[in-house]
Amino acid sequence: MEITNRVPDVRPVMGTVRCRLVNALLRRFVELIEADLEAVGFVRRGPVFRYFDPECNGIALDIQRTTALWGEVEFFINVGVLLAAHVRYYFGENDPRRDAMPHHGVWSHRLVATGDTATLPDHRFSLSSESDVDRAATIVRAWLAGNVPRMKSWLGDFDAMLAAVEEDRERSARARAEQVAPGQWKAGRWPDGTWNDGIIRTYAYAERGDVDAVAAETAGWQDSGPDSLVASVLALANQRLAERQG
């Protein structure tokens, strides 16, 4: 009988244990931010938190997992502000409260995972220990506390959103000026998020029934077919105009 001294391969078992650990770390992170989000009206479905006002304007926050090293879990956090009429274009008769994502928004942002003092800010959150969870949750909860009230103040208010667009444009210009300061490079404090101000202006015109302004704003848009966003906004503008005239 052949006798061998082979050591059992424990790698599959260790891999399973480590997988459970990193999943537990992610669950703990979600629990920590979920407490804050639920307190201000968000509802979680899978990795996405959503908040909607009665008119279906809303905010969506997505935890987007990405490829990580063995023994780690990595993810991005994306946030979007949703405009009701724009969301209805995407979902039609379906309920956007179940499926709307940050990329459906008129303002979107990917949170920064590093502190303000980081030389090269990074958007990727990485968890491999409990201390990582606490640190990531602290960053995200602080951002939410400072920004959820601001995002809510935009919902359904075209003037507020367009004013925020101008404020962010001015902040961006100041940040650029800081970066080219004589003899010294500075990491300018850029505004969070990116606006799609063209869509906001277009829907603002449509809600006023200003068909001509909508046509002018969308004249350069590439897709203008019968199922396009252009056709949808023009239909809304004509509907509002008919309501005003009736």
Side-chain angles (χ1 to χ4, degrees), residues 80-98:
V81 171
L82 311 169
L83 181 61
H86 188 223
V87 169
R88 282 195 292 271
Y89 164 73
Y90 286 112
F91 293 96
E93 299 300 320
N94 296 326
D95 186 359
R97 289 174 174 82
R98 292 176 55 84

Side-chain angles (χ1 to χ4, degrees), residues 105-116:
V106 293
W107 177 90
S108 59
H109 178 55
R110 175 167 283 177
L111 270 63
V112 175
T114 50
D116 291 339

Side-chain angles (χ1 to χ4, degrees), residues 24 97 166 233:
R97 289 174 174 82
E166 291 305 315
V233 182

Side-chain angles (χ1 to χ4, degrees), residues 29-244:
F29 169 80
V30 172
E31 289 170 357
L32 289 172
I33 67 168
E34 185 172 15
D36 288 14
L37 287 165
E38 282 189 344
V40 291
F42 283 76
V43 175
R44 181 167 77 90
R45 185 168 184 251
V48 187
F49 294 86
R50 299 179 180 91
Y51 169 89
F52 285 94
D53 69 10
E55 287 73 39
C56 216
N57 302 292
I59 303 166
L61 182 148
D62 168 41
I63 300 173
Q64 177 190 351
R65 291 189 66 165
T66 186
T67 303
L69 297 175
W70 185 80
E72 295 181 341
V73 58
E74 292 188 342
F75 54 90
F76 300 115
I77 296 183
N78 309 301
V79 186
V81 171
L82 311 169
L83 181 61
H86 188 223
V87 169
R88 282 195 292 271
Y89 164 73
Y90 286 112
F91 293 96
E93 299 300 320
N94 296 326
D95 186 359
R97 289 174 174 82
R98 292 176 55 84
D99 297 307
M101 298 292 288
H103 64 260
H104 295 122
V106 293
W107 177 90
S108 59
H109 178 55
R110 175 167 283 177
L111 270 63
V112 175
T114 50
D116 291 339
T117 59
T119 304
L120 295 174
D122 189 4
H123 298 274
R124 188 176 316 221
F125 290 87
S126 179
L127 309 179
S128 59
S129 67
E130 288 287 346
S131 61
D132 292 336
V133 173
D134 292 339
R135 178 180 170 279
T138 297
I139 292 173
V140 175
R141 295 171 79 181
W143 188 92
L144 292 171
N147 288 276
V148 168
R150 179 173 178 244
M151 290 187 289
K152 283 188 174 183
S153 73
W154 299 332
L155 299 183
D157 190 333
F158 294 109
D159 291 338
M161 285 189 284
L162 291 172
V165 169
E166 291 305 315
E167 291 172 4
D168 283 359
R169 186 174 288 126
E170 291 173 3
R171 286 181 61 194
S172 182
R174 289 196 299 270
R176 287 191 183 91
E178 290 175 3
Q179 285 193 337
V180 295
Q184 184 179 5
W185 184 90
K186 294 182 179 181
R189 182 64 179 90
W190 301 94
D192 289 343
T194 302
W195 289 98
N196 194 327
D197 50 313
I199 287 179
I200 297 168
R201 281 193 303 271
T202 301
Y203 276 106
Y205 296 144
E207 288 292 343
R208 295 202 297 263
D210 193 336
V211 177
D212 291 340
V214 170
E217 184 71 32
T218 60
W221 294 13
Q222 292 183 347
D223 185 2
S224 58
D227 296 325
S228 68
L229 180 59
V230 174
S232 175
V233 182
L234 281 170
L236 177 62
N238 280 292
Q239 178 185 339
R240 294 290 183 262
L241 178 60
E243 292 168 353
R244 289 173 181 270

